[in-house]
Amino acid sequence: MSGVADHGRQHLTEVETDLIQTGLLLEEAIEKLSFNFMAIHKAVEAEQATITQLLAGGEISEEQRTQLAALQGQVGGYVNAAITSLQFQDMTSQLLDRTLKRVTGLREFLSTMSAHGAEMLPDSDNEEIVDLLGKVSMALAVQSLELRSVLRKAVSQQHLESGDIELF
Protein backbone atom coordinates (compact mmCIF):
# COMPACT_ATOMS: atom_id res chain seq x y z
CA MET A 1 0.00 0.00 0.00
CA SER A 2 2.89 2.38 0.65
CA GLY A 3 3.99 1.82 -2.97
CA VAL A 4 0.52 2.86 -4.12
CA ALA A 5 0.68 5.97 -1.98
CA ASP A 6 4.18 6.78 -3.28
CA HIS A 7 2.96 6.39 -6.85
CA GLY A 8 0.03 8.73 -6.23
CA ARG A 9 2.27 11.28 -4.50
CA GLN A 10 4.69 11.14 -7.43
CA HIS A 11 1.89 11.95 -9.88
CA LEU A 12 0.67 14.81 -7.73
CA THR A 13 4.21 16.20 -7.37
CA GLU A 14 4.57 16.20 -11.16
CA VAL A 15 1.20 17.94 -11.51
CA GLU A 16 2.32 20.57 -9.00
CA THR A 17 5.63 21.05 -10.86
CA ASP A 18 3.85 21.52 -14.20
CA LEU A 19 1.41 24.03 -12.70
CA ILE A 20 4.24 26.03 -11.10
CA GLN A 21 6.12 26.03 -14.41
CA THR A 22 2.96 27.21 -16.19
CA GLY A 23 2.61 30.08 -13.70
CA LEU A 24 6.24 31.10 -14.23
CA LEU A 25 5.83 31.03 -18.01
CA LEU A 26 2.74 33.21 -17.80
CA GLU A 27 4.48 35.67 -15.49
CA GLU A 28 7.53 35.92 -17.75
CA ALA A 29 5.43 36.34 -20.89
CA ILE A 30 3.31 39.08 -19.33
CA GLU A 31 6.42 40.98 -18.22
CA LYS A 32 7.91 40.75 -21.73
CA LEU A 33 4.66 41.76 -23.38
CA SER A 34 4.24 44.72 -21.04
CA PHE A 35 7.80 45.91 -21.68
CA ASN A 36 7.44 45.61 -25.46
CA PHE A 37 4.06 47.31 -25.63
CA MET A 38 5.32 50.20 -23.49
CA ALA A 39 8.39 50.47 -25.75
CA ILE A 40 6.13 50.53 -28.83
CA HIS A 41 4.06 53.27 -27.19
CA LYS A 42 7.16 55.37 -26.47
CA ALA A 43 8.49 54.92 -30.01
CA VAL A 44 5.15 55.87 -31.58
CA GLU A 45 4.92 58.85 -29.25
CA ALA A 46 8.39 59.98 -30.39
CA GLU A 47 7.33 59.69 -34.04
CA GLN A 48 4.14 61.65 -33.47
CA ALA A 49 5.78 65.10 -33.23
CA THR A 50 7.53 64.65 -36.57
CA ILE A 51 4.39 63.26 -38.21
CA THR A 52 2.32 66.18 -36.89
CA GLN A 53 4.89 68.61 -38.29
CA LEU A 54 4.74 66.88 -41.70
CA LEU A 55 0.93 66.91 -41.71
CA ALA A 56 0.96 70.64 -41.01
CA GLY A 57 3.00 71.09 -44.18
CA GLY A 58 6.25 71.70 -42.40
CA GLU A 59 9.70 70.61 -43.42
CA ILE A 60 11.70 68.21 -41.33
CA SER A 61 15.43 68.14 -40.90
CA GLU A 62 17.72 65.34 -42.05
CA GLU A 63 18.21 64.44 -38.38
CA GLN A 64 14.44 64.09 -37.94
CA ARG A 65 14.26 61.89 -41.05
CA THR A 66 17.00 59.66 -39.65
CA GLN A 67 15.25 59.48 -36.28
CA LEU A 68 11.94 58.64 -37.94
CA ALA A 69 13.53 55.81 -39.92
CA ALA A 70 15.28 54.51 -36.78
CA LEU A 71 12.05 54.59 -34.78
CA GLN A 72 10.29 52.55 -37.47
CA GLY A 73 12.95 49.86 -37.08
CA GLN A 74 12.66 49.98 -33.31
CA VAL A 75 8.88 49.53 -33.46
CA GLY A 76 9.36 46.52 -35.74
CA GLY A 77 11.84 45.02 -33.26
CA TYR A 78 9.51 45.56 -30.32
CA VAL A 79 6.56 44.04 -32.20
CA ASN A 80 8.68 40.99 -33.11
CA ALA A 81 9.74 40.64 -29.46
CA ALA A 82 6.09 40.86 -28.36
CA ILE A 83 5.10 38.18 -30.87
CA THR A 84 7.90 35.96 -29.60
CA SER A 85 6.58 36.46 -26.07
CA LEU A 86 3.21 35.17 -27.20
CA GLN A 87 4.75 31.71 -27.56
CA PHE A 88 3.83 31.19 -23.93
CA GLN A 89 0.39 30.13 -25.17
CA ASP A 90 1.83 27.10 -26.93
CA MET A 91 4.07 26.16 -24.01
CA THR A 92 1.34 26.58 -21.41
CA SER A 93 -1.04 24.54 -23.56
CA GLN A 94 1.56 21.74 -23.64
CA LEU A 95 2.03 21.93 -19.87
CA LEU A 96 -1.69 21.98 -19.16
CA ASP A 97 -2.23 19.04 -21.53
CA ARG A 98 0.52 17.10 -19.76
CA THR A 99 -0.96 17.99 -16.37
CA LEU A 100 -4.41 16.79 -17.45
CA LYS A 101 -2.88 13.51 -18.64
CA ARG A 102 -1.23 13.08 -15.24
CA VAL A 103 -4.53 13.70 -13.45
CA THR A 104 -6.31 11.28 -15.81
CA GLY A 105 -3.57 8.72 -15.19
CA LEU A 106 -3.95 9.10 -11.45
CA ARG A 107 -7.74 8.74 -11.74
CA GLU A 108 -7.30 5.53 -13.80
CA PHE A 109 -4.76 4.33 -11.25
CA LEU A 110 -7.23 4.87 -8.40
CA SER A 111 -10.05 3.26 -10.44
CA THR A 112 -7.91 0.17 -10.92
CA MET A 113 -7.22 0.09 -7.20
CA SER A 114 -10.91 0.44 -6.46
CA ALA A 115 -12.00 -2.21 -8.95
CA HIS A 116 -9.53 -4.77 -7.66
CA GLY A 117 -10.06 -3.70 -4.07
CA ALA A 118 -13.75 -4.56 -4.40
CA GLU A 119 -12.73 -8.16 -5.09
CA MET A 120 -10.97 -8.36 -1.74
CA LEU A 121 -13.42 -9.59 0.86
CA PRO A 122 -12.94 -9.30 4.62
CA ASP A 123 -12.69 -13.08 4.87
CA SER A 124 -10.10 -13.45 2.07
CA ASP A 125 -7.14 -15.57 3.03
CA ASN A 126 -3.51 -14.52 2.60
CA GLU A 127 -3.09 -16.41 -0.67
CA GLU A 128 -6.10 -14.66 -2.24
CA ILE A 129 -4.85 -11.28 -1.02
CA VAL A 130 -1.35 -11.90 -2.42
CA ASP A 131 -2.84 -13.04 -5.74
CA LEU A 132 -5.08 -9.97 -5.93
CA LEU A 133 -2.22 -7.63 -5.03
CA GLY A 134 -0.16 -9.23 -7.82
CA LYS A 135 -2.95 -8.53 -10.32
CA VAL A 136 -3.28 -4.94 -9.08
CA SER A 137 0.48 -4.47 -9.23
CA MET A 138 0.62 -5.75 -12.81
CA ALA A 139 -2.31 -3.60 -13.95
CA LEU A 140 -0.81 -0.52 -12.32
CA ALA A 141 2.63 -1.18 -13.81
CA VAL A 142 1.09 -1.35 -17.32
CA GLN A 143 -0.87 1.87 -16.73
CA SER A 144 2.24 3.58 -15.38
CA LEU A 145 4.32 2.61 -18.43
CA GLU A 146 1.60 3.79 -20.79
CA LEU A 147 1.36 7.13 -18.99
CA ARG A 148 5.14 7.60 -18.94
CA SER A 149 5.37 7.02 -22.69
CA VAL A 150 2.70 9.69 -23.28
CA LEU A 151 4.39 12.16 -20.93
CA ARG A 152 7.94 11.81 -22.25
CA LYS A 153 7.50 14.77 -24.57
CA ALA A 154 9.19 17.83 -23.15
CA VAL A 155 7.63 21.24 -23.36
CA SER A 156 9.61 23.20 -25.90
CA GLN A 157 9.89 26.79 -26.99
CA GLN A 158 11.36 28.07 -30.20
CA HIS A 159 12.83 31.51 -29.91
CA LEU A 160 12.17 33.75 -32.86
CA GLU A 161 14.83 36.21 -33.79
CA SER A 162 13.83 39.76 -34.70
CA GLY A 163 14.46 39.00 -38.37
CA ASP A 164 12.20 35.94 -38.47
CA ILE A 165 9.01 37.92 -38.97
CA GLU A 166 8.70 40.68 -41.47
CA LEU A 167 6.21 43.34 -40.51
CA PHE A 168 6.93 46.16 -42.90
Side-chain angles (χ1 to χ4, degrees):
M1 287 310 222
S2 66
V4 171
D6 288 343
H7 190 73
R9 271 195 298 276
Q10 181 182 0
H11 275 290
L12 291 175
T13 298
E14 292 296 331
V15 167
E16 181 181 32
T17 300
D18 285 350
L19 291 174
I20 288 169
Q21 188 176 0
T22 301
L24 292 173
L25 286 171
L26 288 171
E27 185 178 314
E28 179 183 347
I30 289 169
E31 285 175 16
K32 287 180 180 179
L33 286 169
S34 296
F35 170 81
N36 286 299
F37 285 130
M38 289 307 297
I40 290 168
H41 173 70
K42 287 179 183 176
V44 169
E45 205 172 61
E47 290 178 330
Q48 191 59 46
T50 305
I51 292 170
T52 301
Q53 185 177 345
L54 282 171
L55 289 174
E59 295 289 323
I60 60 170
S61 68
E62 191 58 38
E63 182 182 336
Q64 287 173 311
R65 288 180 196 276
T66 303
Q67 286 176 344
L68 197 57
L71 287 172
Q72 182 180 6
Q74 287 176 359
V75 168
Y78 292 133
V79 169
N80 281 339
I83 289 170
T84 300
S85 297
L86 289 172
Q87 288 180 338
F88 80 92
Q89 188 276 334
D90 178 53
M91 294 183 327
T92 55
S93 290
Q94 290 177 50
L95 281 169
L96 291 173
D97 183 54
R98 195 166 73 179
T99 301
L100 287 172
K101 286 177 182 170
R102 288 185 192 284
V103 169
T104 300
L106 185 56
R107 182 177 47 245
E108 290 172 0
F109 174 85
L110 294 173
S111 293
T112 299
M113 290 291 298
S114 177
H116 288 292
E119 296 174 23
M120 193 177 303
L121 302 173
D123 59 346
S124 298
D125 64 22
N126 287 343
E127 199 172 296
E128 290 174 320
I129 292 172
V130 169
D131 183 50
L132 186 57
L133 289 175
K135 289 178 186 177
V136 170
S137 180
M138 184 61 72
L140 295 177
V142 169
Q143 285 179 347
S144 184
L145 286 173
E146 289 172 351
L147 183 60
R148 281 188 193 144
S149 70
V150 169
L151 296 175
R152 282 212 171 105
K153 293 169 71 177
V155 176
S156 61
Q157 175 183 19
Q158 295 176 352
H159 291 282
L160 298 175
E161 299 298 324
S162 59
D164 290 347
I165 300 172
E166 290 191 25
L167 298 170
F168 301 103

